[in-house]
Amino acid sequence: MRTILFIAVIVALVGCKGNQNQKIEINSGWEFAIVGDEDFKPATVPGYVHTDLLTNGIIDSLYWGENPKKYNFVGDTSWVYKTTFILSKEQISYNTKVLQFEGLDTYTDVFLNGEKILVTDNMFLAYEKNVTSYLNEGENQLEILFKSVRKEGQKIVDNYKFYTEEHARADADNYRKFVRKAQYQFGWDWACPLVPAGIYKPINLILYNSARINDVFIVQEELEDDLAKLKAEIEIASNETTTVDLQVEVNQTIVKTLKNVSLNTGSNNLYVDFEIENPQLWWTNGAGEQPLYNIAVNVVKDGIIHDTKLHKIGLRTIEFVNDWDEQGRSYYFKVNGEPIFMKGANYVPIDAMLPTVTKERYDEFIAQCVEANFNMIRIWGGGIYENEEFYDACDAAGILIYQDFMFASFMPPADDPFMENLEKEAIYQVKRLRNRACMALWAGSNEVESAWFEGYMPKGYPEEVYTIDHKKIFDKLLPSVVKKYHPGIGYVRSSPTTGTDSIMVNTRGYGDAHAWGVWFAMIDFNKAKFGRLTRFISEYGFVGYPAYTSLKKYMPVEEMDTTSAVFQFRDAYIGIQDNIRNFIDRYYPQPRNMMEWTYVSGIMQGEAMRQSNEIYRTHMPYCMGALLWQLNDVWPVASWAMLDYYQQWKPVMYRTKESFAPIIVSIYEDKGQCKLYGVSDEFVDREVELILSLKDFYGKEISRYSKNHTLEANTSTEFHNFSYKDILNGEDAANVVLEAVLLENNDTIASTLHYINRPKDLKLNEANVSYEVKEENGKTVVEVSTDYLAKNLYLIDSKGEINFSNNYFDLMPNRKVKVYPRKEIGADELRKRLSILTLNEILIK
């Protein structure tokens, strides 16, 4: 039965009905089917074919077992979505009516009342169509045909003008790079192929009688302590020659009005200068507060507000410093004039099913980044330009964005149709994001430059692919769009890059690097210094398995064997198990079961990244950024992620939270010689006392060194240099641990434990760990203590739902530590679900 939708009109403005602009969401009454099949089923918009198939019971759980393998047919099939909506006499009377498609994925033909009105070929581009002449009073039918992405992409390959026959053979099956669609959807080393289609963002009908604001850019022209001078650059579409008033509001107070502004029919570009007195500066997380100003621009005619455009802005300066110097080429950011070390990770979409991600999920996700002491996220070029809610959360939290354009590892084509499509995409996305306080850098691609220079492009690519195609896109088109539409922000042509063809990417000292020496080259953790330590580390990582409690959510218990087909299907990257086993042999005792396998691989990932994090931070200001690969997963899988698909913190997230703290003390060892550093992100010096103690595993202090130091602001300071031989003085390294503490006025502001031997070589005894779950001030708390060193103490929530304020940590004897669950749970419930595992149990098996 056909469903007729009586649309609820969403009106954002106040004024006289019939004069104010209206925005109608066309999000109900949708149905879908395979093209040619009349058996239509209910559909959700925004949504994807996969999610609609799930809702209708046509396919099983999307992420269970090997199910994703069964659903590749979606990308090979054409689908149709349709709905019917009603317009009232008053609505149809508006002079101009525009259909706005915020996100269609990807190749579509759009029909309104039987007429083809639009053809789309880019999921990253919003489309608009003036449909005034197509609409009826009463019933209107909207139908969208989604064509097979694989088939459409292959058509482009088949018709593409390659430079040589060898070039054509090299790209014969590489249709993905010709398609303006999220590249991870075709499969990556942490994502299975799962090629969706659908209306993944809202569809709106915009109605206006006179004028509509298409865009507002808030330009910060001067920023002083007592005054901020700003300019609103306003783009207005008008369907008549008329005059209007323009108002600028700051936090709901009108601060500037321009009277009787002339509008011509068509597009109008206007400017309004305004000021904010005593501006409050926006800072990155950890450096200060994040005040945001609500800036509204109103178009007023005959005393009625016809349209409003609202932006939240932060007043700040962000300078990307990428200068040649005596050490190579710098790569760092100044916020409000202060150089700030960037701490964070690389982000991929939270879920392969993009429309399922809610504002609440984004908010919680960014809150976890704040808790882990992040101040930057890199949005990786094989994913998507994120939704507004993601950037809203980053603006509010002080998380800067290092934003890739959507290219990853493959050299894109550069013929005229592709370039025209890309230019529209780039302009749309740059204009969409340029008012964001969080935006810090645009990067042309992920690893397209390094793929060329480091030789993992397909064989057979001629020189012209780089000297012509690459330069057309990444040296000309994209930087010109950024310069024109987002002046003042930094641009680099790729991540990583040295910024010049004459110096190889990942050359030490020049620009940013993707430092993969530990994982892919399998060098020891503490040798990361001799890998790709450079001015900014924009990728580095190590694989760790999700917790056993997460495995149980997507894999049958009988398949929990490293040799099973399901288990290996979830090892998205070939070779994960070999690398994990190699490193376990070097560092850790052998796990005996799947619980221990996930636990040991996890704490090993945490330790590998803790050491890398601290190496990069202790080398500031030479190195001024560390972004781990990767922050999260798009589906349940074994990967480099710090948060698994279910948002459970792996050990690496806890260790990163510690090593990204505003102040740390770090011990770096090389060939038996140690350097001890104090690192501070703060803008003031501190007078501290360093205490370095050698202790046995019962907590007995064997020796002590102490000295007063100045912990210098916003840098790394070497405090002490010593050898293992001297500090051990005959003690067995397998029985002792070094504890370094920084005290200020007798209060601990930073501490660390440093083991001379690797974990597998420690002579650990049983640790009698006791814990009490109780209520304190209305909050549940777990108080933990031990009579002997508890190595990598793991608080296990049997349901795999609770992250804690700390976990997988080393607990020295005779100290009580309080750990808090990150979500509300009663003490009685947590007590039922809680158990403990330590590395001691595996070592003394």
Side-chain angles (χ1 to χ4, degrees):
M1 179 181 294
R2 184 177 61 183
T3 301
I4 297 179
L5 166 66
F6 292 86
I7 297 176
V9 177
I10 298 175
V11 180
L13 308 177
V14 295
C16 178
K17 185 176 181 182
N19 286 320
Q20 64 186 11
N21 297 358
Q22 293 190 18
K23 177 180 177 180
I24 302 169
E25 295 182 2
I26 303 179
N27 58 6
S28 300
W30 286 92
E31 300 173 310
F32 83 113
I34 292 175
V35 170
D37 187 346
E38 293 302 315
D39 185 17
F40 278 82
K41 303 291 185 183
T44 299
V45 170
Y48 265 151
V49 170
H50 289 87
T51 53
D52 288 330
L53 291 172
L54 278 167
T55 301
N56 285 278
I58 298 170
I59 65 174
D60 301 326
S61 172
L62 189 59
Y63 296 140
W64 179 255
E66 293 185 273
N67 280 359
K69 288 183 177 180
K70 299 187 293 186
Y71 308 140
N72 283 328
F73 73 90
V74 171
D76 293 325
T77 306
S78 294
W79 304 84
V80 63
Y81 278 70
K82 66 179 183 179
T83 191
T84 301
F85 61 93
I86 302 296
L87 291 180
S88 68
K89 182 177 182 179
E90 182 266 328
Q91 290 166 341
I92 203 69
S93 70
Y94 273 82
N95 292 334
T96 303
K97 295 166 276 291
V98 175
L99 261 180
Q100 180 187 70
F101 303 87
E102 294 186 27
L104 299 177
D105 188 1
T106 295
Y107 291 98
T108 76
D109 292 338
V110 181
F111 299 86
L112 180 59
N113 293 326
E115 298 286 335
K116 184 189 287 191
I117 62 167
L118 185 67
V119 176
T120 78
D121 59 358
N122 189 332
M123 76 172 285
F124 305 128
L125 182 59
Y127 294 86
E128 291 192 351
K129 177 68 177 178
N130 188 323
V131 293
T132 305
S133 62
Y134 295 90
L135 289 170
N136 306 314
E137 180 182 344
E139 183 175 312
N140 293 271
Q141 295 179 332
L142 181 62
E143 183 175 287
I144 305 176
L145 168 65
F146 289 88
K147 291 172 278 190
S148 164
V149 170
R150 288 197 177 97
K151 293 175 183 176
E152 294 301 310
Q154 196 58 49
K155 286 180 187 177
I156 301 173
V157 176
D158 294 341
N159 294 315
Y160 188 72
K161 187 177 180 180
F162 292 97
Y163 288 103
T164 64
E165 290 184 9
E166 190 177 13
H167 182 203
R169 286 193 296 271
D171 265 342
D173 299 317
N174 195 18
Y175 74 89
R176 70 157 69 189
K177 76 172 195 175
F178 292 83
V179 175
R180 293 312 294 150
K181 180 174 173 65
Q183 296 292 286
Y184 78 89
Q185 295 176 343
F186 301 99
W188 216 265
D189 53 9
W190 39 266
C192 69
L194 204 61
V195 182
I199 306 166
Y200 83 105
K201 289 187 177 183
I203 297 176
N204 306 301
L205 180 62
I206 310 296
L207 311 177
Y208 66 97
N209 272 328
S210 180
R212 172 198 175 199
I213 303 174
N214 282 337
D215 186 68
V216 173
F217 181 25
I218 307 299
V219 181
Q220 181 180 285
E221 299 198 305
E222 293 183 32
L223 183 58
E224 304 294 342
D225 291 342
D226 60 344
L227 190 68
K229 293 184 178 181
L230 302 106
K231 178 172 65 177
E233 298 183 355
I234 309 163
E235 181 185 323
I236 297 178
S238 179
N239 54 31
E240 62 180 352
T241 299
T242 188
T243 59
V244 297
D245 296 342
L246 295 180
Q247 296 175 342
V248 176
E249 296 180 12
V250 177
N251 292 342
Q252 294 157 349
T253 298
I254 297 174
V255 298
K256 189 71 172 283
T257 300
L258 294 185
K259 294 281 189 179
N260 299 317
V261 177
S262 296
L263 296 181
N264 296 316
T265 302
S267 183
N268 299 263
N269 295 306
L270 305 164
Y271 307 91
V272 180
D273 295 315
F274 64 102
E275 297 177 345
I276 296 176
E277 295 182 351
N278 302 313
Q280 295 180 296
L281 293 184
W282 183 96
W283 288 92
T284 53
N285 178 41
E289 300 301 315
Q290 294 82 40
L292 294 171
Y293 290 85
N294 293 298
I295 310 295
V297 174
N298 303 322
V299 174
V300 181
K301 185 178 180 183
D302 301 326
I304 298 167
I305 296 176
H306 280 238
D307 203 5
T308 290
K309 184 73 80 171
L310 176 66
H311 289 290
K312 287 188 175 183
I313 68 163
L315 298 177
R316 82 292 183 266
T317 62
I318 296 179
E319 181 184 358
F320 173 55
V321 185
N322 192 207
D323 297 335
W324 297 95
D325 58 27
E326 66 280 1
Q327 296 174 303
R329 192 170 192 181
S330 66
Y331 199 107
Y332 69 96
F333 298 85
K334 286 184 178 180
V335 179
N336 299 323
E338 296 285 351
I340 293 183
F341 189 99
M342 291 300 147
K343 302 175 295 186
N346 289 263
Y347 169 86
V348 301
I350 295 177
D351 201 300
M353 296 294 102
L354 300 172
T356 66
V357 184
T358 62
K359 178 184 184 302
E360 291 72 25
R361 199 166 164 191
Y362 281 126
D363 288 345
E364 170 58 18
F365 184 83
I366 297 301
Q368 294 178 77
C369 295
V370 170
E371 185 174 337
N373 296 306
F374 285 18
N375 57 21
M376 177 173 273
I377 289 173
R378 174 177 169 237
I379 297 183
W380 174 73
I384 61 170
Y385 307 94
E386 262 299 346
N387 287 347
E388 301 296 346
E389 293 86 354
F390 179 92
Y391 299 101
D392 286 345
C394 291
D395 280 344
I399 303 293
L400 289 179
I401 298 298
Y402 177 136
Q403 176 73 57
D404 286 4
F405 284 98
M406 291 300 114
F407 295 99
S409 303
F410 298 98
M411 188 75 77
D415 60 354
D416 289 345
F418 187 91
M419 295 296 287
E420 291 169 8
N421 195 355
L422 175 58
E423 184 174 22
K424 292 176 185 176
E425 170 193 321
I427 292 171
Y428 167 70
Q429 294 294 348
V430 169
K431 290 175 70 173
R432 182 174 75 94
L433 297 175
R434 62 186 175 177
N435 288 301
R436 294 288 180 177
C438 62
M439 288 295 292
L441 182 69
W442 286 96
S445 77
N446 169 76
E447 293 187 353
V448 172
E449 183 178 342
S450 57
W452 178 266
F453 282 108
E454 295 186 325
Y456 56 93
M457 284 284 181
K459 293 180 179 178
Y461 275 25
E463 195 71 22
E464 291 88 346
V465 170
Y466 184 81
T467 59
I468 297 177
D469 293 4
H470 183 278
K471 292 188 179 300
K472 280 171 64 176
I473 294 172
F474 302 112
D475 288 350
K476 295 178 182 177
L477 174 60
L478 294 180
S480 68
V481 169
V482 172
K483 183 178 180 180
K484 180 176 180 180
Y485 294 100
H486 199 172
I489 196 172
Y491 170 85
V492 292
R493 64 187 186 183
S494 189
S495 178
T497 187
T498 61
T500 176
D501 292 348
S502 62
I503 300 174
M504 175 74 76
V505 291
N506 292 315
T507 296
R508 179 167 177 161
Y510 294 86
D512 68 327
H514 290 186
W516 284 105
V518 171
W519 176 256
F520 286 109
M522 293 194 292
I523 67 173
D524 282 351
F525 300 165
N526 68 329
K527 296 298 193 301
K529 176 180 177 181
F530 307 108
R532 288 175 171 172
L533 172 63
T534 190
R535 314 306 288 276
F536 193 103
I537 316 299
S538 45
E539 275 191 26
Y540 61 104
F542 195 95
V543 169
Y545 278 83
Y548 183 72
T549 53
S550 289
L551 255 63
K552 291 193 294 183
K553 296 176 183 179
Y554 64 86
M555 185 182 303
V557 172
E558 61 270 18
E559 295 286 347
M560 289 189 188
D561 182 291
T562 57
T563 64
S564 78
V566 173
F567 198 91
Q568 292 185 3
F569 174 59
R570 297 298 173 140
D571 287 349
Y573 165 67
I574 298 172
I576 281 178
Q577 290 189 31
D578 290 341
N579 279 26
I580 292 290
R581 288 190 173 91
N582 185 301
F583 279 106
I584 287 177
D585 286 344
R586 290 188 236 172
Y587 284 93
Y588 284 89
Q590 292 296 322
R592 299 166 294 188
N593 52 48
M594 187 53 62
M595 164 67 89
E596 292 183 0
W597 172 262
T598 60
Y599 166 71
V600 171
S601 79
I603 61 176
M604 186 166 65
Q605 178 191 25
E607 181 60 17
M609 293 298 93
R610 180 195 68 80
Q611 291 194 33
S612 292
N613 297 344
E614 293 186 12
I615 286 170
Y616 301 143
R617 290 194 70 192
T618 56
H619 282 79
M620 67 182 295
Y622 172 80
C623 176
M624 285 297 288
L627 306 180
L628 288 87
W629 183 268
Q630 66 203 70
L631 177 53
N632 59 297
D633 279 324
V634 300
W635 73 307
V637 67
S639 77
W640 297 262
M642 306 164 72
L643 302 169
D644 71 23
Y645 171 75
Y646 305 102
Q647 301 297 292
Q648 288 297 291
W649 286 34
K650 294 183 185 178
V652 64
M653 191 70 165
Y654 291 100
R655 299 293 76 78
T656 296
K657 174 183 175 180
E658 294 170 352
S659 52
F660 278 177
I663 295 173
I664 63 169
V665 56
S666 177
I667 298 173
Y668 177 79
E669 177 269 328
D670 179 38
K671 299 177 181 177
Q673 194 68 25
C674 292
K675 291 184 177 182
L676 189 151
Y677 296 89
V679 182
S680 173
D681 289 338
E682 297 181 341
F683 298 148
V684 295
D685 293 348
R686 288 178 181 249
E687 299 304 317
V688 299
E689 180 186 8
L690 165 67
I691 298 176
L692 182 63
S693 305
L694 185 69
K695 296 181 177 181
D696 67 19
F697 297 152
Y698 291 97
K700 178 184 176 182
E701 187 172 84
I702 299 167
S703 65
R704 168 184 284 234
Y705 165 89
S706 67
K707 189 175 180 180
N708 293 329
H709 293 274
T710 298
L711 180 64
E712 295 183 22
N714 205 20
T715 193
S716 171
T717 306
E718 184 180 333
F719 283 163
H720 191 42
N721 197 315
F722 60 94
S723 70
Y724 283 155
K725 180 179 179 182
D726 291 341
I727 204 163
L728 282 171
N729 195 25
E731 295 289 334
D732 185 350
N735 293 316
V736 293
V737 60
L738 281 167
E739 183 174 40
V741 179
L742 293 185
L743 298 176
E744 183 183 49
N745 299 323
N746 293 319
D747 292 329
T748 299
I749 61 172
S751 65
T752 192
L753 295 176
H754 180 83
Y755 298 89
I756 298 170
N757 279 9
R758 295 181 177 191
K760 72 184 182 73
D761 297 322
L762 297 177
K763 297 177 181 177
L764 291 180
N765 296 329
E766 181 181 359
N768 295 306
V769 178
S770 61
Y771 65 92
E772 182 182 4
V773 183
K774 55 186 180 180
E775 299 277 349
E776 278 188 1
N777 301 319
K779 292 185 177 181
T780 300
V781 60
V782 183
E783 190 172 78
V784 190
S785 61
T786 181
D787 63 349
Y788 185 87
L789 170 70
K791 190 87 176 69
N792 298 111
L793 190 153
Y794 174 25
L795 299 171
I796 306 170
D797 165 33
S798 61
K799 293 188 178 181
E801 297 173 348
I802 302 293
N803 292 316
F804 294 92
S805 57
N806 198 6
N807 210 348
Y808 304 94
F809 57 92
D810 293 355
L811 180 60
M812 290 294 285
N814 306 314
R815 298 178 183 176
K816 288 188 176 181
V817 173
K818 291 182 179 180
V819 178
Y820 299 88
R822 285 194 73 256
K823 65 185 291 186
E824 289 187 13
I825 184 172
D828 289 342
E829 176 64 17
L830 183 57
R831 201 175 290 119
K832 295 174 189 175
R833 291 162 52 170
L834 195 64
S835 60
I836 283 179
L837 175 65
T838 67
L839 192 65
N840 305 52
E841 299 171 41
I842 303 174
L843 273 164
I844 61 177
K845 59 190 176 185

